[in-house]
Amino acid sequence: IDHSARYRFEITQPSGERAIETTPRTIEAEPDQAPAVQLMAPADPLDVTNLRRVELAYVIEDDFGITSAELVWEAGKDKGKKPIAIGETESRGKATSTALPRGRLQGKLTWDIAEVQVPSGGEVRYWIEAKDNDSVGGPNVGRSRELHLKVVSPRERHEETLGRQQELAEKILRNLGSRLVLGDDERGGTAGAAASSGSAGGAGSAPRGTGGIDQSPREDIARQLREAIIELGTLGAAFEKDPHASESLRKALSQMRERLDKLAITEQRLLPKGKPAAKGQFAGFDPRMIAELEDDTLVLADWLDRERLEGLLDVSDEIAAHQKRLADLLAQYQRTKDPRLLDEIEREMRALDRTFAELDKHRRGMPEDVLDQYVHRNAVQAQAGTSCIDEVRKLVRSGDAAK
């Protein structure tokens, strides 16, 4: 029956006489509704590391019964599904649920983010789909609301902050270069020379500040330095929340900001208001500022090299840890043949795939002179090329993990 209808009973007596009910009986067909699905996550959007396990909770209800349910996700071109076992008891690393009367299903799902092929910073959309047991018109599909997560790598965030540090170092270096080529008039050597209207560098080519007011080259350089000091403060704040940044780096940036801030305040006080600088006005200031900027440029460059080298070594240590963990799992699987270990083995192999790629990215991003000075290049290249994960996968799938 796929729609509402009325019917009557008809009785045929042995004599052949027929009798039909005068009052019809009614069948009210109730449409089979799609399952109602609720999905609960710790947050939406949810920031996770690319190897973290996330616990999700769900409730699925249907007016008659549920036949299947699965977690579905999309990340760019990558799409995946994870079945939810119905009516099974909880087991580690599996989607589990408890079937309740009248088509109600509730449970928890442990989702290993390593299953998702998405780079750090990428976003993933995910939801739960469930099918009912409609055998007449075909199963109805219910879908939860769509949630989002962002795959985050603390190390890659650290690399992004180091990129900002490199940009800041370049700004300070440009500021230093601009100061070194200031003319005598801007150093306070010849008062009024900058006001010459017939020169190529006259008022028509002077930088303009806020409100369209013409600025002298020194005023423009001083403004650029103040902007760099502000960026130095935001950079320090970013490193405060960065687990990969060393305390010495944070301290060096904080002290640098304090020194530059004091010099910038002094320069601002020395700048004349609406008139040319007096002769020798900056004679005592410029050598101190130039020496400070020279030191700061070198310090920023040195810390960039050191932090990137530390990142390279951290990735190498992480690879070694994953390799040891994988070897232990393979040995355990060889002894026990426990199929539950296969998920953990695959997870470690995916982790190694990612860390080998990350190692190669770090190595290619390191300056040549730093690699030559601090790192044995052949060793790094050899380590980056020792990934034989595909071969290990083939052996595991063939059941020959001993090799």
Side-chain angles (χ1 to χ4, degrees):
I1 296 176
D2 56 8
H3 60 276
S4 298
R6 295 189 300 172
Y7 68 96
R8 301 178 185 182
F9 281 106
E10 176 183 305
I11 300 174
T12 302
Q13 297 181 3
S15 62
E17 184 179 356
R18 299 168 59 194
I20 301 176
E21 282 186 302
T22 57
T23 303
R25 301 174 186 269
T26 303
I27 296 177
E28 295 290 344
E30 296 181 1
D32 187 6
Q33 304 293 332
V37 186
Q38 299 180 56
L39 173 61
M40 287 77 76
D44 182 38
L46 178 65
D47 283 1
V48 298
T49 62
N50 53 15
L51 294 178
R52 179 182 166 188
R53 291 184 175 96
V54 178
E55 186 174 78
L56 307 174
Y58 57 87
V59 177
I60 306 173
E61 295 180 289
D62 188 69
D63 45 4
F64 291 102
I66 303 161
T67 57
S68 67
E70 56 191 4
L71 174 70
V72 184
W73 67 83
E74 291 184 359
K77 296 181 179 179
D78 180 55
K79 300 180 181 180
K81 296 181 179 181
K82 185 180 184 71
I84 298 175
I86 297 176
E88 293 187 3
T89 56
E90 185 171 356
S91 61
R92 182 179 177 183
K94 299 293 184 180
T96 62
S97 61
T98 303
L100 300 178
R102 294 191 57 79
R104 178 180 170 88
L105 188 71
Q106 66 181 33
K108 293 181 179 181
L109 166 64
T110 301
W111 185 20
D112 189 348
I113 303 303
E115 298 176 9
V116 184
Q117 299 300 317
V118 60
S120 177
E123 292 189 352
V124 181
R125 300 183 299 116
Y126 65 99
W127 62 91
I128 285 182
E129 290 182 359
K131 295 181 180 180
D132 67 10
N133 60 356
D134 187 345
S135 58
V136 178
N140 295 298
V141 180
R143 173 171 165 164
S144 72
R145 66 189 178 105
E146 189 176 281
L147 301 181
H148 301 80
L149 64 82
K150 186 175 182 180
V151 178
V152 179
S153 167
R155 187 179 292 110
E156 291 199 16
R157 279 187 172 176
H158 179 66
E159 288 295 319
E160 291 172 2
T161 309
L162 289 180
R164 292 169 53 192
Q165 180 178 331
Q166 182 167 349
E167 292 174 2
L168 176 62
E170 292 169 356
K171 287 183 179 180
I172 291 179
L173 180 60
R174 287 195 297 270
N175 195 270
L176 171 62
S178 299
R179 291 177 185 277
L180 290 173
V181 298
L182 276 176
D184 289 341
D185 53 327
E186 289 299 332
R187 291 181 182 278
T190 306
S196 174
S197 60
S199 65
S205 62
R208 302 179 70 85
T210 56
I213 301 174
D214 290 342
Q215 289 184 313
S216 69
R218 178 175 287 278
E219 289 173 328
D220 189 51
I221 291 171
R223 175 186 57 78
Q224 293 171 8
L225 180 61
R226 291 194 298 272
E227 291 174 355
I229 293 172
I230 293 173
E231 291 180 29
L232 190 56
T234 59
L235 189 66
F239 278 129
E240 286 293 333
K241 303 175 183 178
D242 187 344
H244 291 282
S246 69
E247 185 59 35
S248 298
L249 170 60
R250 299 187 187 104
K251 185 177 180 180
L253 294 179
S254 176
Q255 292 175 344
M256 183 185 300
R257 183 175 182 274
E258 290 178 5
R259 292 193 304 268
L260 285 175
D261 196 39
K262 289 178 181 179
L263 287 170
I265 292 172
T266 301
E267 184 174 39
Q268 193 66 24
R269 290 172 178 169
L270 289 173
L271 285 171
K273 308 299 182 185
K275 59 181 180 179
K279 184 176 181 179
Q281 186 163 343
F282 294 94
F285 172 79
D286 281 341
R288 288 190 294 138
M289 175 63 87
I290 289 173
E292 176 63 33
L293 292 176
E294 287 175 341
D295 290 343
D296 293 343
T297 301
L298 293 174
V299 168
L300 288 172
D302 180 60
W303 272 112
L304 278 170
D305 291 342
R306 291 163 65 177
E307 287 296 307
R308 284 173 173 158
L309 179 59
E310 285 294 329
L312 189 71
L313 298 177
D314 285 345
V315 176
S316 298
D317 291 342
E318 190 173 326
I319 287 175
H322 283 304
Q323 287 174 328
K324 183 179 184 305
R325 170 66 175 160
L326 179 59
D328 293 342
L329 287 170
L330 290 171
Q332 187 177 352
Y333 178 71
Q334 187 65 20
R335 292 193 309 269
T336 65
K337 299 298 182 183
D338 186 347
R340 293 175 297 179
L341 293 172
L342 294 176
D343 288 341
E344 287 296 316
I345 290 172
E346 181 61 31
R347 186 175 190 272
E348 289 300 321
M349 289 191 289
R350 284 195 297 263
L352 277 170
D353 281 336
R354 297 190 186 205
T355 46
F356 273 119
E358 192 171 355
L359 178 69
D360 186 59
K361 178 181 176 182
H362 274 268
R363 183 186 60 78
R364 287 185 282 106
M366 291 288 290
E368 296 292 326
D369 58 331
V370 177
L371 282 173
D372 291 338
Q373 184 176 0
Y374 297 107
V375 181
H376 192 290
R377 181 186 299 271
N378 292 334
V380 173
Q381 289 177 337
Q383 187 177 13
T386 55
S387 177
C388 54
I389 303 304
D390 290 339
E391 186 65 26
V392 174
R393 281 195 177 96
K394 292 178 183 177
L395 292 173
V396 171
R397 289 168 182 167
S398 66
D400 193 5
K403 294 183 180 180

